[in-house]
Amino acid sequence: MLMRAAVLTGFREPMEIREVEIADPGPGEVRVRIKASGVCGSDLKAIDGKSPVVRRLPYILGHESAGVVESVGEGVTGVRPGDHVIIAMSGACGRCRQCGAGRFHLCSGPARMTAIMGGAPRVTLEGQETRRFIGIGSFAEYALVSEAMCVKIATDAPFDAMCLLACGVVTGVGAVLNVARVSPGSSVLVVGCGGVGLNVVQGAVLAGATTIIAADVAEQKLKLASRFGATHTLLAGDLPAQVGEITRGGVDYAFDATGVADVLGQAFAATQPGGTTVMVGSPPSGAALTIEPGLLFASRRLMGTQGGDAAPLRDLPMLAAQYLRGRLDLDGLVTERLPLSDVNQAVAHVREGSVARTVIVF
């Protein structure tokens, strides 16, 4: 089957809108007609040649997506043609050691490992295998994924909102609810107020935090953070000192959504004894973190997360329900909606930091 896709053929170069061929679904596979796909910072890293999983081109990027099931392969029972679905970033095997321990986001099953490295050979460009970002590749009219990655949603839920749940929302909210487990009445610091950081703010609101401090170097992003529930905003400088002026002794929880080692260190130093810091942003390869051991000795915790430690079949329907009940603002996250033909313009806007989230709509 032929389809249009935005194909990355050279690092640090614009994607090309090309006609590619996508296979029919095999056993356990689902072909989804993409209706909306968010543009994520991970896509930018791949374009720049800084992604640890995007090494050999050509590649179809995009992973934060939702659509309609077009066809299914043999043995698929969980979804059928016509179902509306979110495509989760991971499809847990349920059988490996990590899944057995309940860490589905760290699944080490063969299918999951294949997906991380670009997926099984299902798409070709002029006869050449074309890999798909984490086995999805949603900057295209269709995606071919495993059944385990498809999470059904209500038919009246808007695709441009639902696609955001797959990555930015579940990562940010999950960092609060699944990883740090923020307590009601606590104080929270969020550093970096892009698409993920704003969802950390929303997660803190859902958790019942009463002091939510948002920090960024861009005033425009701080205005957005206030809209999403921040009680205080800081133009980031000396974070421990700035936070200390608002909360005596530091915050209970700190979240770094920048992935910058020095910023993570400052966020950690801005917590009170016994406080918890979570690294939410993806760090560059080889980056080193320096912290004062005495801060750890005061029972502070430093944690990491991958995708909000989410279990997609549990968390994505819950988040969709929160949105439909008016408790989660997804519409406000979408700054612009653009067609696939304008995907490079969308990437430029995300790179500039002028948008919270740009969504490619089909």
Side-chain angles (χ1 to χ4, degrees), residues 244-320:
E245 293 178 3
I246 299 172
T247 61
R248 291 184 180 180
V251 291
D252 299 307
Y253 303 91
F255 298 85
D256 169 47
T258 71
V260 177
D262 289 345
V263 176
L264 174 61
Q266 284 203 50
F268 181 69
T271 59
Q272 65 173 333
T276 297
T277 301
V278 181
M279 183 185 72
V280 187
S282 173
S285 299
L289 173 65
T290 301
I291 59 174
E292 182 185 337
L295 296 176
L296 278 174
F297 191 70
S299 297
R300 291 177 175 87
R301 296 188 302 161
L302 179 59
M303 309 175 70
T305 180
Q306 190 177 92
D309 288 17
L313 291 175
R314 176 196 67 198
D315 294 342
L316 297 185
M318 179 274 292
L319 292 171

Side-chain angles (χ1 to χ4, degrees), residues 4 29 43 91 112 122-123 129 153 155 230 240 290 338 345:
R4 290 189 315 141
E29 291 182 332
D43 298 311
R112 171 62 179 149
R122 293 292 187 267
V123 177
E129 179 187 345
I153 54 174
T155 56
T290 301
L338 295 173
Q345 179 182 337

